[in-house]
Amino acid sequence: MRQPDPAGCFGTTPPVPKRPALLRTLPAVVLCAALFALITWQIAADGPLRALDERAGRALAGHGPRALAEALADLGSAAIALPVLAAAIAYTLLRDRAARRYEALGAVLAMAAVPALVVPLKALIDRPGPLTGATGYYPSGHTATAMAAYTGAALLLGPYLPKALRNAALPAAGALSLATGVGLVLRGYHWPLDVIGSWCLCAAVLLIVSSGTRRISSRCTRRSSGRTAAGCSGPS
């Protein structure tokens, strides 16, 4: 238990330093980035993974209930995913703007990173789709949109959910991202590695952005607490 200082203010003892959030997430970021680099290299160089991917894609395309697969693929459309994230951001800012504005900003930045990264990569890799001669299918933009939107919404809304449901927010976001990818592959809109590569890329972006915004938010909280403690007056 912390002891008061001579003026009687509790909480003035500096906390034990912790590793920065980015360093704690660095191994996961490196793993995701390495997997994305490997997949991208194999697709660009027409490697053996690309051949396996295309055989798997042809075998899976057209299977499963068509209407369900289409509905799952649509989870990654901007018309569905973006309103979900926007509603989560609005709710969070209405509930606690001062404390969580940086987390809301992080969700916006992560979503903005999707087109900023995916569009140039599509043009660079120029991969044809499973059922069309058109190109620009790697990585999957629908998959990245779904992952950024639903994960961002889960991170923002999680603290406001009932305690019994709080730990289910991120798994639910993961399930929606997985369902989107499954629908895209079953409908023949993307090869499997288009989806997997997008998951890896988006996971790295989300880890970097969320750890950065958490660090900024906690720093601002500490500064605010320090100003409160500095204004504390001891017993007369």
Side-chain angles (χ1 to χ4, degrees), residues 133-222:
T135 59
Y137 280 76
Y138 177 87
S140 167
H142 275 61
T143 301
T145 298
M147 189 171 183
Y150 300 133
T151 303
L155 290 171
L156 290 172
L157 296 179
Y160 305 116
L161 294 175
K163 190 173 182 179
L165 299 176
R166 201 166 296 163
N167 292 333
L170 279 176
L176 289 172
S177 301
L178 176 63
T180 303
V182 169
L184 291 168
V185 171
L186 292 180
R187 287 294 292 121
Y189 295 146
H190 277 288
W191 304 105
L193 283 183
D194 296 348
V195 170
I196 296 171
S198 194
W199 282 335
C200 294
L201 175 63
C202 201
V205 170
L206 286 167
L207 285 167
I208 292 170
V209 172
S210 63
S211 62
T213 53
R214 281 200 307 270
R215 183 179 183 184
I216 294 171
S217 181
S218 62
R219 183 180 296 173
C220 291
T221 301
R222 288 197 301 270

Side-chain angles (χ1 to χ4, degrees), residues 26-45:
L26 186 59
V29 172
V30 170
L31 176 61
C32 291
L35 288 173
F36 177 72
L38 172 64
I39 293 169
T40 303
W41 165 59
Q42 283 291 293
I43 291 172

Side-chain angles (χ1 to χ4, degrees), residues 2-3 5 9-18 222 229:
R2 292 183 184 176
Q3 300 298 318
D5 67 1
C9 293
F10 286 91
T12 55
T13 304
V16 177
K18 295 181 179 179
R222 288 197 301 270

